[in-house]
Amino acid sequence: MAPPQHFRRSTTKTPQSALKPIANTRNTHTHITQKHNTLSILIQNIAQLLQTEEQTRTHIKGSDMQHLSSIKNAYLWIQHDRIADFGTMDDMPPLLPQIADTTLDAKNKLVLPTWCDSHTHIVYAGSRENEFVQRIQGATYEQIAEAGGGILNSAKRLQNTTAYDLYDSALYRLTEICRMGTGAVEIKSGYGLSLEAEIKMLRVIQQLKAASPLTIKATFLGAHALPTEYKNNREGYINLLINQMLPQIADEGLADFIDVFCEKGFFTADETAKILTAGAKYGLRAKIHANQLYYSGGVQVGVQQNALSVDHLECVGDAEIDCLLNTQTMPTLLPSAAFFLNLPYQPARRMIDAGLPIALATDYNPGSSPSGNMPFVISLACTQMKMLPNEAINAATLNGAYAMDVAPSLGSIARNKIANIQIINAPSVAYIPYSFGSQLTQTVILNGELI
Ligand code: NIG
Ligand code: FE
């Protein structure tokens, strides 16, 4: 009888870290000499190896998004933390099964890169299901925000929560998303809204970077909402952000990117430009919240600032599409936020047909998307935005990697990229969005280590 495990480990020469909780594993980039990082893993008999690249690309756009390269009946060879080789079983060097520390059999399975979730807010305190119920009863997201709920509600809680508790709950969420196949994640500040609390959040993200095997990028989102005490002093808060928060964040190296919630009732396009210009002086590239509730001018200001991504985009017309064409800015769609707030979905089909690339992300946060489930986002992209399964997988892997500036090392199966791999129990690519809500990811490998 076949063993109950989904994959038979035919050889395991060294004690494995497979069952080690994520909380106890270290980021292997900084521990490359440790013995457990010297393992090799062979995955063989793979029904389909997806998102393979002989020549690496930075991102995929327009009609190219329909193509997802794949190798049938394939093997994948991982050494140290890198993808060393791959190809068809017929071409597999016969020596590999003999020298592999661990061999996995992926018969009838798909193997692909782990998801790159380029937009989240997973460091937060408490939850907001009371606002969820208020919305069921008719209140809007904006009305709740205007009444001091929403982001300000989360900020109040975060200010009264210790760094340790924030770290602990965020690490739990990282474990949760990893099980669903996410291997890289961007995390924003923005629930601090004071010098002390924004720094506290960003230091927590810094500690998560060191502790978690996921690749993490940090974004400074001090301009997420205007704190109550600055209600009549917008300039005062923006000055605090530019003159005090940014220098300290740069000094401690706490952020990779800068974000602004460019939206009616939050920050104007002019204020966004001012804040992003200040961030650029410290080398922080922009990734902004744009056009979620209104035509805010956020797309235009993002492109002017050469933002790495403009995110949300529920309100997008021809002017926004034209503005994004042939730029370095990745349009990033967050359909689970539209789902949860009952907003119109983003016009992904029009955008791709016009020649744009698309990245997909979860927006995991306590208000508009309390879920970090990338496979659900992929399903929504297909059912609600008419993206084809191949397009959605491209958007959740290589284009997501671009949107968090990790495409040179993640997002595809290419030699010498970091071995962030998932094994999925699905008979075809389309089965991934089709089988929504199922736990399809069976095995996750991050930095060449079984998780
Ligand atoms: O991306 N839109 C702005 N920020 C978050 C929501 C934050 C919240 O409601 O707590 C978002 O949807
Ligand atoms: Fe967001």
Side-chain angles (χ1 to χ4, degrees):
M1 251 192 60
Q5 296 100 317
H6 296 299
F7 304 106
R8 281 174 291 123
R9 249 169 237 144
S10 52
T11 327
T12 303
K13 291 177 184 162
T14 314
Q16 266 299 320
S17 60
L19 302 175
K20 191 162 52 176
I22 288 174
N24 293 338
T25 52
R26 304 286 304 171
N27 187 324
T28 57
H29 301 297
T30 50
H31 293 271
I32 202 147
T33 53
Q34 285 179 7
K35 195 178 175 201
H36 67 265
N37 290 330
T38 62
L39 292 175
S40 56
I41 301 177
L42 173 66
I43 312 177
Q44 59 181 359
N45 301 319
I46 303 166
Q48 274 192 75
L49 179 63
L50 303 174
Q51 194 62 295
T52 52
E53 283 187 318
E54 292 296 333
Q55 297 282 320
T56 53
R57 299 158 295 173
T58 56
H59 63 288
I60 310 161
K61 63 181 182 177
S63 56
D64 286 347
M65 286 192 72
Q66 281 178 34
H67 305 295
L68 182 66
S69 55
S70 80
I71 301 177
K72 289 199 170 119
N73 194 24
Y75 76 96
L76 178 65
W77 175 235
I78 295 167
Q79 271 188 308
H80 308 287
D81 62 344
R82 301 281 156 169
I83 294 170
D85 211 353
F86 58 86
T88 63
M89 284 302 289
D90 288 346
D91 292 336
M92 184 172 83
L95 198 64
L96 292 189
Q98 294 165 35
I99 63 170
D101 291 303
T102 299
T103 302
L104 305 177
D105 194 297
K107 199 170 173 212
N108 302 325
K109 309 281 192 298
L110 304 180
V111 173
L112 65 156
T114 48
W115 313 123
C116 296
D117 188 351
S118 63
H119 181 137
T120 82
H121 309 246
I122 65 168
V123 174
Y124 61 83
S127 51
R128 306 220 305 261
E129 63 274 27
N130 55 333
E131 295 178 5
F132 166 64
V133 175
Q134 285 170 16
R135 281 193 289 103
I136 294 170
Q137 292 169 321
T140 65
Y141 182 80
E142 288 167 276
Q143 285 165 345
I144 292 168
E146 276 161 23
I151 295 165
L152 296 182
N153 178 358
S154 286
K156 210 179 300 159
R157 290 182 194 215
L158 186 133
Q159 287 163 7
N160 294 321
T161 302
T162 64
Y164 180 77
D165 285 346
L166 290 172
Y167 169 85
D168 201 41
S169 57
L171 200 54
Y172 183 85
R173 292 179 195 118
L174 288 177
T175 307
E176 179 201 14
I177 64 173
C178 181
R179 287 205 182 100
M180 296 185 283
T182 298
V185 63
E186 180 257 18
I187 309 175
K188 298 173 194 296
S189 71
Y191 290 126
L193 306 185
S194 69
L195 174 64
E196 190 197 357
E198 281 295 307
I199 297 291
K200 176 169 72 176
M201 272 192 93
L202 287 164
R203 286 186 186 149
V204 166
I205 301 172
Q206 193 176 46
Q207 285 166 350
L208 293 168
K209 281 187 183 186
S212 168
L214 279 85
T215 297
I216 295 173
K217 291 282 184 176
T219 299
F220 170 51
L221 175 57
H224 200 189
L226 202 63
T228 320
E229 58 275 28
Y230 286 92
K231 209 172 167 189
N232 300 314
N233 183 12
R234 303 183 67 80
E235 223 186 316
Y237 185 64
I238 293 169
N239 286 339
L240 171 73
L241 206 148
I242 293 175
N243 300 328
Q244 291 189 51
M245 293 187 194
L246 265 175
Q248 188 170 341
I249 288 162
D251 199 44
E252 291 189 38
L254 292 174
D256 302 296
F257 308 114
I258 184 165
D259 194 343
V260 174
F261 188 14
C262 182
E263 193 61 71
K264 189 170 150 195
F266 293 85
F267 294 88
T268 66
D270 285 348
E271 289 166 344
T272 302
K274 185 173 172 186
I275 295 164
L276 297 183
T277 303
K281 291 198 180 119
Y282 293 99
L284 301 181
R285 188 126 179 237
K287 281 174 62 62
I288 68 171
H289 283 73
N291 297 44
Q292 180 182 14
L293 308 170
Y294 295 97
Y295 285 82
S296 61
V299 170
Q300 285 79 355
V301 76
V303 169
Q304 273 160 23
Q305 296 280 332
N306 191 31
L308 184 56
S309 69
V310 286
D311 303 19
H312 272 294
L313 312 183
E314 280 82 349
C315 299
V316 157
D318 290 342
E320 285 73 23
I321 291 176
D322 286 349
C323 172
L324 281 161
L325 279 169
N326 303 315
T327 69
Q328 305 299 308
T329 301
M330 177 64 72
T332 298
L333 308 185
L334 316 168
S336 54
F339 165 81
F340 196 66
L341 297 184
N342 214 9
L343 295 173
Y345 285 89
Q346 299 86 345
R349 191 68 268 143
R350 267 177 60 210
M351 295 168 78
I352 296 172
D353 291 345
L356 288 175
I358 296 285
L360 288 168
T362 64
D363 199 15
Y364 196 171
N365 75 77
S368 65
S369 180
S371 162
N373 190 329
M374 280 296 281
F376 180 57
V377 164
I378 290 166
S379 288
L380 284 175
C382 295
T383 59
Q384 306 301 310
M385 307 197 296
K386 306 290 175 231
M387 285 175 73
L388 293 164
N390 281 356
E391 291 173 331
I393 303 297
N394 280 322
T397 54
L398 189 59
N399 284 0
Y402 178 95
M404 53 190 291
D405 203 18
V406 294
S409 57
L410 291 171
S412 68
I413 306 285
R415 288 174 193 85
N416 214 31
K417 278 202 176 185
I418 292 172
N420 275 16
I421 307 292
Q422 56 180 319
I423 306 179
I424 285 194
N425 189 18
S428 66
V429 173
Y431 192 89
I432 299 172
Y434 158 85
S435 179
F436 80 94
S438 289
Q439 172 66 34
L440 297 178
T441 299
Q442 291 191 337
T443 301
V444 174
I445 296 170
L446 295 183
N447 310 299
E449 272 200 89
L450 279 159
I451 298 297

